[in-house]
């Protein structure tokens, strides 16, 4: 994943590396923890995921050939742990998840299906390349994600943050492709509304 | 007395309408009607556009969307915004460190180290 490249690279210490759990925890623990915190909603679960990641790393140390930096290797393990965690929750898709945003913002369209002109999507400024440097944007984004039901947020994050293919999400979380598409469509629609309302609309007090 | 419903047509221009037909009324009136008749409605387009983010759309559908964008800046924006959200989401992990500043509690770190040392020792 791109993001890992931005992290300071770790030198590898040779093919027969000595495991140094203390250093791992000190150097990478907080990064992994924050990454997990964005994806699961409780600190305890995030902590467990980080711990499982380190355990998995120790057990799989032989497979780490040093092709990537130590940290991005740990991140890739964590990603899989997160997917496993989502799956292990073993929840069926609940009524709430499928009912979520059922109206699909019908009020934004006239009965014929065209946008209500005064209420259609606005122009979004500034461009995404600029907006990523603004912490307030990420706070808004986090707030909007938190507004989604957990399961819907999970599939959205797997698809859009982790870039897991929709086929893979379906098989890993055992949901049908149709249900996945419905959930993604509504998640995107809701996030779009939320971002437009809270970030892209000029409000007094917002810079 | 209830307020009369706001009529949606004739089409008022959106602010900063940058669609191709902006300002070409004679052309747009007739072609608009044609495009309107042969392309999906905006509401349906939002579903199609979302699907298009997850699987390649058939050529014919993509052509229809292209035509629709010629006369509808809203759907064009919607499509751009789905891409915007995707780009932002992918950048999120990289930048979330600035927003999420939580650190592992020291007790948890110690617990992990103990556990990991034992695990490493058994290896």
């Amino acid at each position: 994943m791109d993001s890992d490249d931005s992290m300071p690279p770790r030198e590898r210490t040779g093919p027969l590396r000595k495991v140094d759990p203390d250093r791992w925890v000190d150097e990478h623990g907080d990064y992994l923890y924050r990454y997990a915190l964005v994806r699961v909603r409780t600190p305890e679960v995030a902590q467990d995921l980080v711990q499982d990641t380190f355990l998995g790393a120790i057990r799989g140390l032989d497979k780490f050939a040093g092709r990537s930096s130590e940290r991005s290797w740990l991140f890739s393990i964590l990603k899989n742990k997160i997917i496993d965690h989502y799956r292990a929750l073993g929840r069926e898709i609940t009524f709430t998840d499928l009912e979520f945003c059922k109206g699909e913002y019908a009020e934004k369209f006239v009965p014929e299906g065209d946008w209500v002109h005064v209420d259609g999507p606005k122009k979004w400024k500034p461009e995404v390349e600029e907006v990523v440097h603004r912490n307030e944007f990420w706070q808004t984004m986090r707030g909007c994600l938190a507004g989604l039901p957990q399961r819907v947020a999970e599939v959205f994050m797997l698809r859009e943050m982790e870039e897991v293919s929709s086929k893979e999400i379906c098989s890993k979380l055992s949901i049908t492709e149709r249900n996945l598409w419905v959930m993604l469509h509504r998640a995107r629609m809701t996030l779009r509304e939320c971002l437009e309302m809270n970030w892209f609309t000029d409000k007094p007090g917002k810079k | 007395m209830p307020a009369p419903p706001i009529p949606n047509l004739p089409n008022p221009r959106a602010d900063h309408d940058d669609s191709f037909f902006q300002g070409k009324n004679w052309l747009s009136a007739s072609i608009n009607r044609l495009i309107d008749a042969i392309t999906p409605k905006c509401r349906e387009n939002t579903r199609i556009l979302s699907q298009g983010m997850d699987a390649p759309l058939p050529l014919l559908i993509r052509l229809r969307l292209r035509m629709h964008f010629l006369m509808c800046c809203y759907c064009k924006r919607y499509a751009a915004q789905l891409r915007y959200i995707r780009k932002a989401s992918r950048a999120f992990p990289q930048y979330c460190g600035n927003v999420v500043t939580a650190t592992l509690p020291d007790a948890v770190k110690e617990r992990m180290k103990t556990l990991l040392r034992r695990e490493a020792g058994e290896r």
Side-chain angles (χ1 to χ4, degrees):
Chain A
M1 189 157 128
D2 310 338
S3 61
D4 304 336
D5 299 336
S6 71
M7 315 277 186
R10 294 294 318 155
E11 297 301 318
R12 63 186 161 113
T13 47
L16 273 175
R17 14 188 30 266
K18 233 179 102 60
V19 194
D20 188 353
D22 290 23
R23 187 177 58 79
W24 276 6
V25 174
D26 288 332
E27 278 182 16
H28 308 300
D30 289 336
Y31 285 92
L32 295 169
Y33 180 51
R34 288 171 197 157
Y35 187 93
L37 259 188
V38 174
R39 286 156 184 76
V40 296
R41 290 181 181 180
T42 46
E44 291 75 19
V45 176
Q47 289 162 10
D48 287 348
L49 285 170
V50 174
Q51 182 169 307
D52 287 350
T53 301
F54 285 132
L55 285 175
I58 291 177
R59 286 172 198 143
L61 199 64
D62 306 330
K63 280 180 244 149
F64 176 54
R67 278 186 302 271
S68 53
S69 76
E70 192 173 79
R71 184 172 289 169
S72 53
W73 174 60
L74 289 169
F75 268 112
S76 67
I77 299 174
L78 176 58
K79 263 192 218 176
N80 285 321
K81 296 285 174 202
I82 290 170
I83 298 178
D84 289 347
H85 166 72
Y86 286 165
R87 180 170 41 184
L89 291 179
R91 290 177 269 125
E92 296 295 307
I93 302 171
T94 63
F95 186 68
T96 340
D97 297 324
L98 281 181
E99 289 295 293
F100 167 70
C101 187
K102 196 167 188 225
E104 299 183 357
Y105 290 91
E107 70 279 8
K108 302 215 116 205
F109 301 91
V110 295
E112 293 79 28
D114 298 321
W115 291 98
V116 172
H117 285 274
V118 291
D119 209 16
K122 315 265 189 304
K123 220 169 164 59
W124 282 12
K125 287 274 167 203
E127 295 299 321
V128 66
E129 288 77 11
E130 192 180 321
V131 114
V132 293
H133 302 292
R134 310 259 282 267
N135 287 352
E136 301 90 339
F137 175 77
W138 296 119
Q139 271 149 12
T140 313
M141 182 89 169
R142 258 199 115 189
C144 290
L145 280 171
L148 302 174
Q150 174 124 27
R151 191 67 156 179
V152 177
E154 283 167 15
V155 295
F156 176 84
M157 287 192 276
L158 284 181
R159 182 73 195 100
E160 298 290 37
M161 279 186 202
E162 316 293 347
E163 305 174 49
V164 182
S165 74
S166 40
K167 267 214 171 64
E168 206 180 333
I169 297 175
C170 287
S171 73
K172 289 208 158 144
L173 303 185
S174 20
I175 47 182
T176 64
E177 197 153 44
R178 217 200 106 66
N179 281 345
L180 177 70
W181 275 347
V182 169
M183 284 199 280
L184 283 174
H185 168 49
R186 292 174 183 174
R188 287 175 177 133
M189 216 172 200
T190 307
L191 272 183
R192 201 207 70 78
E193 286 297 327
C194 181
L195 287 174
E196 187 162 287
M197 188 121 67
N198 296 300
W199 178 257
F200 293 101
T201 308
D202 285 321
K203 279 184 299 193
K206 192 196 136 226
K207 276 182 282 216
Chain B
M1 210 176 97
I6 305 161
N8 200 38
L9 295 167
N11 196 348
R13 286 284 169 199
D15 293 342
H16 318 293
D17 187 345
D18 56 355
S19 59
F20 174 75
F21 283 116
Q22 159 62 10
K24 304 189 180 80
N25 284 346
W26 58 273
L27 188 61
S28 67
S30 47
I31 300 185
N32 263 4
R33 271 196 296 277
L34 175 71
I35 294 181
D36 193 40
I38 60 173
T39 66
K41 288 296 179 188
C42 303
R43 192 156 189 216
E44 183 60 23
N45 281 336
T46 59
R47 288 182 202 124
I48 296 172
L49 287 169
S50 176
Q51 261 188 35
M53 299 298 284
D54 304 315
L57 294 171
L59 182 64
L60 190 63
I61 303 275
R62 272 184 287 152
L63 281 174
R64 281 178 169 169
L65 281 173
R66 287 268 154 208
M67 286 173 71
H68 186 88
F69 291 163
L70 293 178
M71 65 158 200
C72 179
C73 68
Y74 294 119
C75 285
K76 198 176 157 196
R77 281 177 195 169
Y78 193 89
Q81 288 165 3
L82 291 188
R83 291 194 297 273
Y84 195 113
I85 290 173
R86 167 163 293 177
K87 268 196 196 167
S89 302
R90 289 188 180 170
F92 193 29
Q94 189 178 342
Y95 292 93
C96 72
N98 304 333
V99 185
V100 187
T101 49
T103 51
L104 282 170
D106 287 339
V108 175
K109 278 189 182 168
E110 285 313 311
R111 194 190 68 202
M112 268 184 206
K113 285 177 183 171
T114 316
L115 185 79
L116 294 174
R117 263 186 237 124
R118 196 184 317 141
E119 180 71 26
E122 280 170 15
R123 228 174 125 256

